[in-house]
Amino acid sequence: MSKKEPKKAKAPKEAPEAAPKEAGAKKAKPKGPQEPSRLRTRYTKEVVPALIKHFNYKNVMAVPKLEKIVINMGLGEAIANAKILDVATDELGRIAGQRPVVTRAKKSIANFKLRQNMPIGAAVTLRGERMFEFFDRLTSVALPRVRDFRGVSTKSFDGRGNYTLGLRDQLVFPEIDYAKVDKVRGMNVTIVTTARSDDEARELLKQLGMPFRQ
């Protein structure tokens, strides 16, 4: 009997060629704006050198900057009518350019018929380019539309370089259509900075265009 011949090793299969992309295939859209906002450019080119000269910083990393902006809208009437929360959330999203989150009660208060974890407001936190764009719209468009506007108070700092501004209605923002507003709603805008003192934060916001009252 003849000996069996050894099996020949199989040649490795060639990897299939990648299918050519179709000419009409949609490319993925890049996230966020491609160019820095005009306020960020102004901060880098004008504000930073001005602050270094004013406070004599030895390191450019010590120069204060904007960290985040928090917009909070309280909705006490949402206890009786939950639909108000949807309308207010939509308006806040138009103003900020970012979807807000619903804030809930931390504890129950019987006198106000408030139960723990009940939705009572909306808030949104802005960082990066959206933060700079909102600050630019706030100082150059929204605040000048306030009736009898004479500047914002210089006494609204918290002692740690953060500033809180109260707005009585949402109609100062051009993103809100006056004809579609069912009720005037106020909001608080908190500007968080990396400044170590209120004086540094005040000068930073002033250089960025915040119209402080004289």
Side-chain angles (χ1 to χ4, degrees), residues 72-73 75 78 85-86 89 92 99-105 117-124:
N72 181 39
M73 183 180 289
L75 301 167
L85 192 63
D86 297 333
T89 301
L92 186 56
R99 187 175 181 180
V101 296
V102 176
T103 56
R104 300 179 179 274
N117 207 34
M118 179 179 288
I120 54 171
V124 61

Side-chain angles (χ1 to χ4, degrees), residues 59-209:
N59 189 345
V60 69
M61 299 301 294
V63 179
K65 60 183 178 180
L66 297 181
E67 185 175 351
K68 62 182 178 180
I69 295 179
V70 182
I71 312 171
N72 181 39
M73 183 180 289
L75 301 167
E77 61 270 23
I79 298 175
N81 186 4
K83 293 183 179 180
I84 294 177
L85 192 63
D86 297 333
V87 178
T89 301
D90 179 68
E91 291 179 350
L92 186 56
R94 293 175 183 271
I95 292 171
Q98 181 176 310
R99 187 175 181 180
V101 296
V102 176
T103 56
R104 300 179 179 274
K106 295 183 179 179
K107 61 181 181 179
S108 301
I109 303 177
N111 294 338
F112 295 102
K113 299 180 181 180
L114 181 66
R115 297 191 303 272
Q116 187 177 4
N117 207 34
M118 179 179 288
I120 54 171
V124 61
T125 301
L126 302 177
R127 302 176 188 270
E129 290 298 330
R130 287 181 178 174
M131 173 188 67
F132 279 101
E133 289 173 356
F134 174 80
F135 188 91
D136 195 3
R137 286 188 287 113
L138 176 68
T139 56
S140 60
V141 179
L143 289 179
R145 296 179 64 178
V146 176
R147 180 178 297 181
D148 299 330
F149 181 70
R150 297 179 181 177
V152 297
S153 175
T154 58
K155 299 179 181 179
S156 298
F157 290 90
D158 64 349
R160 293 174 291 180
N162 305 320
Y163 184 79
T164 299
L165 171 68
L167 299 175
R168 294 183 177 180
D169 63 81
Q170 74 276 40
L171 296 174
V172 295
F173 293 95
E175 293 83 3
I176 303 300
D177 188 358
Y178 180 83
K180 296 181 180 179
V181 173
D182 59 341
K183 185 178 180 181
V184 174
R185 299 181 181 88
M187 67 191 73
N188 290 328
V189 180
T190 301
I191 303 170
V192 182
T193 73
T194 60
R196 292 170 292 181
S197 66
D198 290 347
D199 291 336
E200 292 178 336
R202 188 182 298 108
E203 187 64 25
L204 168 65
L205 297 184
K206 182 180 178 180
Q207 293 287 343
L208 288 173

Side-chain angles (χ1 to χ4, degrees), residues 13-21:
K13 294 183 178 180
E14 295 182 359
E17 295 182 359
K21 295 183 179 179

Side-chain angles (χ1 to χ4, degrees), residues 15-35:
E17 295 182 359
K21 295 183 179 179
E22 297 180 2
K26 294 182 179 180
K27 295 182 179 180
K29 294 182 179 180
K31 296 182 180 180
Q34 293 297 306
E35 298 181 358

